[in-house]
Amino acid sequence: MSFDDLGLSTSLLHAVERQGYTEPSPIQEKAIPLILERRDVLASAQTGTGKTAGFTLPILQILSEGHQLRKRPVRALVLTPTRELAAQVSENVKAYGEFLHLRSTVIFGGVNQNPQVKALRNGVDILIATPGRLLDLHNQRLLSLASVEILVLDEADRMLDMGFLRDINKILALMPPRRQNLLFSATFSKEIKQLANGFLHNPVLVEATPENTTVEKIIQKSIRVDKGKKPALIIKLISEGNWKQVLVFTRTKHGANRLSEKMNKSGITASAIHGNKSQGARTKALAGFKKGEVRVLVATDIAARGLDIPLLPHVVNFEMPNVAEDYVHRIGRTGRAGASGEAVSLVSHDEVDLLRGIERLVGQRIPSQTIEGFEPSSNPPPKAAAKPNNQRRHKPKNSGNRDFQKRRKGGFKGRSNR
Ligand code: AMP
């Protein structure tokens, strides 16, 4: 199928061509015609599937065809969990809307509100926002949602993980009940289904697996190594492999900072990106990484969500994620758009359970190897070895799969230290 078959206007087709897209991704193929038919859509799609264009293109089309009011009230609202994702959606809206006369703006917290207020005063057709700042400005009576015709909840699962349910419900109450609703989520927990049932009208379910599913184009490896030797090992892998653009995941913000410092000391340019950094610092780190000035970006899971970094050749799990499903998100960052990528996991003794949980989730064994000079000690470190009957053995509280199950069952309340 080509973009021409989707019912999009020539201005939009022109913009798509300018982006260099030759054919629609599966989610675009499915979602665009449905959204143009004004159906409510419940879409299962994660970053990397082209989901943003999947909802942005038809929204631009609908709004450009509709009657334009002089005051330009907000007619489409896109809610995202993070500032980064909001900024990226906004960039996409601007790029795809290049040849249309629609206005859009993005609002998120952590920065001065005045420029955002000014943009809103001038009138915007499409507003991209994180829930907190949106409510904040609404409470100050600086914006109205009374004319919203189309609502998008992007990465709805992350919004719930980050505790935005109450805010979302408040925002829903501020909009006219008759509107088109689109919900995008990588996973479908009980809470997501409840949320969807609460406000979607007779939705069509569309599903898209990312271009790179874990099973296909990504080469996955795990390297067994003692925890304390991980920094030296990752430095060796990056320098000897001459890796140019590497995304490294740590579990905590402090871990991200420490590792990034160690890398810089050993001559590998690195930046850490996590929730404690200001918006400016994060944007700068990301820009440096994209330009190739910074070789390694060390990120926590939440900070990495929504980062738009195409064609990443290497992803390293410096520490294994507690939630098995985060592994899929992490490694989905490699080799986008059809190219192959490599995902390497550094696994210490205490993380073997997590690795098994991940293997159960992705339904395959991840080949394991050791590196000369970095072979793990044959006995687990004393702490783990001294407690053969510890809780974790009987009750794998931190096992990825278990956490994943827990989240699916609705017990997951978000993680604080990321
Ligand atoms: P998303 O899943 O929306 O975060 O998009 C992931 C990446 O795919 C972005 O860098 C987009 O610019 C790119 N993209 C979106 N649609 C297409 C397409 N049809 N062909 C090629 N790349 C695309």
Side-chain angles (χ1 to χ4, degrees):
M1 195 185 262
S2 85
F3 274 105
D4 295 347
D5 305 321
L6 296 178
L8 294 168
S9 67
T10 43
S11 305
L12 289 167
L13 291 176
H14 191 31
V16 161
E17 200 184 312
R18 278 274 282 252
Q19 294 299 310
Y21 306 164
T22 48
E23 55 185 46
S25 69
I27 190 81
Q28 292 163 1
E29 221 175 274
K30 292 180 203 162
I32 292 174
L34 290 166
I35 299 173
L36 289 176
E37 280 172 27
R38 309 305 310 265
R39 294 292 306 263
D40 275 15
V41 170
L42 179 61
S44 144
Q46 62 191 60
T47 303
T49 53
K51 66 180 168 68
T52 317
F55 62 77
T56 304
L57 290 167
I59 289 177
L60 286 166
Q61 169 125 340
I62 292 166
L63 297 188
S64 66
E65 282 173 346
H67 185 64
Q68 205 151 65
L69 299 165
R70 215 159 50 89
K71 273 192 162 175
R72 289 190 187 254
V74 176
R75 292 165 64 204
L77 172 67
V78 183
L79 279 182
T80 74
T82 63
R83 313 182 259 199
E84 283 80 9
L85 186 63
Q88 276 154 30
V89 171
S90 167
E91 274 174 34
N92 282 320
V93 170
K94 294 224 181 314
Y96 305 138
E98 193 185 349
F99 305 107
L100 300 172
H101 301 284
L102 292 168
R103 284 196 212 143
S104 65
T105 200
V106 57
I107 61 176
F108 46 70
V111 292
N112 188 326
Q113 72 173 38
N114 294 342
Q116 299 176 356
V117 173
K118 203 171 152 212
L120 288 168
R121 282 220 180 95
N122 287 337
V124 288
D125 304 288
I126 305 173
L127 179 62
I128 302 105
T130 52
R133 178 58 62 95
L134 183 77
L135 282 173
D136 195 5
L137 295 185
H138 193 275
N139 290 341
Q140 298 176 58
R141 298 182 182 279
L142 294 169
L143 70 89
S144 161
L145 300 176
S147 300
V148 171
E149 296 163 34
I150 310 175
L151 167 71
V152 183
L153 289 195
D154 194 10
E155 301 202 354
D157 50 348
R158 285 284 149 171
M159 281 202 247
L160 296 193
D161 285 355
M162 290 168 78
F164 284 132
L165 181 61
R166 276 189 62 192
D167 284 355
I168 292 172
N169 283 327
K170 279 188 202 158
I171 294 166
L172 289 174
L174 302 174
M175 288 179 283
R178 267 181 68 86
R179 51 164 204 269
Q180 186 177 11
N181 299 293
L182 314 172
L183 186 151
F184 285 75
S185 184
T187 55
F188 283 101
S189 62
K190 200 169 102 194
E191 289 105 322
I192 288 286
K193 285 186 192 141
Q194 264 170 4
L195 177 69
N197 286 339
F199 79 98
L200 295 174
H201 303 293
N202 192 17
V204 192
L205 182 71
V206 296
E207 288 179 86
T209 41
E211 295 249 319
N212 273 319
T213 59
T214 61
V215 217
E216 286 158 13
K217 290 171 188 146
I218 300 164
I219 302 161
Q220 300 172 71
K221 308 179 184 168
S222 65
I223 302 178
R224 298 291 305 274
V225 59
D226 289 341
K227 209 185 220 23
K229 287 193 176 162
K230 283 187 180 187
L233 176 59
I234 192 170
I235 288 167
K236 177 188 161 82
L237 292 172
I238 293 171
S239 19
E240 291 185 5
N242 201 18
W243 295 354
K244 293 280 188 281
Q245 235 187 358
V246 195
L247 181 61
V248 177
F249 285 95
T250 58
R251 237 185 261 169
T252 66
K253 302 171 204 173
H254 303 297
N257 281 340
R258 270 198 308 271
L259 183 60
S260 144
E261 277 163 26
K262 275 188 188 145
M263 288 189 173
N264 281 311
K265 273 189 195 139
S266 70
I268 295 174
T269 48
S271 287
I273 186 164
H274 54 64
N276 275 9
K277 297 244 164 173
S278 70
Q279 179 63 19
R282 290 202 240 178
T283 313
K284 202 170 145 223
L286 186 59
F289 183 63
K290 280 186 174 177
K291 276 191 252 163
E293 293 163 1
V294 173
R295 207 161 148 189
V296 181
L297 198 61
V298 190
T300 55
D301 290 283
I302 290 207
R305 286 296 297 181
L307 290 187
D308 185 21
I309 314 161
L311 290 175
L312 211 52
H314 300 282
V315 168
V316 182
N317 294 309
F318 182 76
E319 284 154 337
M320 300 308 280
N322 274 333
V323 180
E325 194 227 353
D326 278 347
Y327 175 85
V328 182
H329 283 297
R330 289 178 175 192
I331 74 164
R333 303 302 185 140
T334 79
R336 292 225 184 120
S340 70
E342 187 182 46
V344 180
S345 299
L346 307 188
V347 182
S348 52
H349 285 297
D350 58 320
E351 293 174 316
V352 174
D353 281 352
L354 296 178
L355 179 69
R356 298 285 166 256
I358 288 163
E359 289 180 332
R360 278 196 295 279
L361 175 70
V362 300
Q364 68 179 96
R365 272 198 91 79
I366 299 164
S368 170
Q369 63 181 92
T370 54
I371 304 283
E372 205 183 325
F374 292 87
E375 294 87 352
S377 43
S378 47
N379 293 316
K383 231 170 118 192
K387 292 185 185 173
N389 291 325
N390 70 6
Q391 257 195 335
R392 187 180 284 189
R393 287 264 164 129
H394 288 300
K395 224 175 163 187
K397 216 161 120 196
N398 281 336
S399 127
N401 206 30
R402 169 72 177 256
D403 255 10
F404 177 65
Q405 299 294 349
K406 209 163 109 191
R407 185 199 310 208
R408 294 190 76 107
K409 282 193 198 130
F412 188 71
K413 288 282 182 292
R415 287 142 275 168
S416 61
N417 195 23
R418 312 158 89 204

